[in-house]
Amino acid sequence: MSLLKEIIAEATAKTADVPRMLRLCMVLASRLKFDPMLVWVREELEGYPAEAELPEYRVLRVRNKGRFIGRVQGVLDLPLFLIPESLRPHFEQAEIRDGVAEYEHLLAGLASADGTGGLEIPWPAGMAVKYASSYVVDGQCIEAWREISPAEVAGMLDKIKTKVLAFALQIEAEAPNAGDIESPAASIEERRVSQIFNTTINGSVQNYAAGATSINQVAVGGSVQAGDLGLLLTTLRSAGVADADLEELKEALEEDGRSGAAGMGEAVKGWLGGLAAKAALGAASIGSDVVSGVVAQAIVAYLGITGG
């Protein structure tokens, strides 16, 4: 059986082994010397790095749930109106970045159990108490999460199979022996492979630069002077903090200044907590480590807070 026919057979099997199908695609991409396909296959098998743009089929719908204690106990669905409007889009869906084998195992485990439940993604620390507890009178939400149903996960895997099938069928139509090293008629122009890849698999995602990073490390020690707002904002902007967030920080600093707060006031603490929550959800321009490191240290230096 030719390599293409193996891929097509696996993609159309009732109980397809998606990791095996993708490994066959890796062989095909390697023999065709087509790097974009190799990158896509590798990320589907190994998982997408945090900085990589995800294909649309890996952004799934969710239901928000919380566990309550008090007069009302148990797990309840959480409505979106509990969450600040600016954060709601990130609680309507979730990005899933792990390799496909993990999701196959998840579905297999659910099938062997009672078939209920799903993939749970915890809310950032503190958000359950802050936002969800108000939903129940005389009750407290001790944990909350976004839950992805098994049907959503199965649908994601099915879309991968469909994309691979469409790609393999179009390649086969133009070069039936493509990828078979023993065949003299196995060649196909790279330009044509690229066109087929872009129409069947790439879709709306244009960024397949595996391993690419855009992390800027900023040295804070000694660079931010106490009371120098311009230098503080320049430092945070260099670290990747968005201008809109910087404007909110300025307002928080002014609010704390009017209240006469000593050290770090409640408004700035609230701004830091909000930025950390956004970073944990992937809704900020920087990561959580930058918030807790560079950003917090720069603000402490600006406020003239010393240890002890």
Side-chain angles (χ1 to χ4, degrees), residues 117-275:
L119 177 63
E120 296 181 1
I121 304 173
W123 280 22
M127 287 194 69
V129 173
K130 184 174 183 180
Y131 297 120
S133 289
S134 62
Y135 188 49
V136 174
V137 177
D138 295 331
Q140 182 175 0
C141 183
I142 58 173
E143 62 174 334
W145 60 91
R146 290 175 289 168
E147 185 172 289
I148 303 172
S149 72
E152 286 283 317
V153 178
M156 182 268 291
L157 294 174
D158 191 68
K159 287 176 182 177
I160 294 172
K161 291 189 291 183
T162 300
K163 286 176 176 291
V164 166
L165 177 61
F167 177 80
L169 287 172
Q170 289 198 38
I171 294 291
E172 184 187 47
E174 301 200 15
N177 296 314
D180 293 344
I181 55 177
E182 69 277 8
S183 172
S187 63
I188 179 172
E189 289 185 9
E190 182 178 351
R191 176 184 60 82
R192 185 60 184 135
V193 176
S194 180
Q195 291 173 343
I196 294 172
F197 177 80
N198 284 327
T199 57
T200 60
I201 290 178
N202 199 359
S204 61
V205 177
Q206 302 301 323
N207 178 20
Y208 282 102
T213 60
S214 56
I215 300 171
N216 296 318
Q217 294 184 345
V218 180
V220 176
S223 64
V224 176
Q225 312 263 334
D228 192 332
L229 181 60
L231 188 52
L232 170 66
L233 297 178
T234 298
T235 299
L236 297 185
R237 188 175 289 111
S238 298
V241 180
D243 286 341
D245 291 320
L246 292 178
E247 287 299 318
E248 292 180 3
L249 173 60
K250 288 168 61 178
E251 293 174 5
L253 288 167
E254 292 171 1
E255 182 179 336
D256 285 342
R258 289 191 296 269
S259 67
M264 188 179 295
E266 292 303 315
V268 172
K269 289 179 182 177
W271 179 85
L272 264 176
L275 186 62

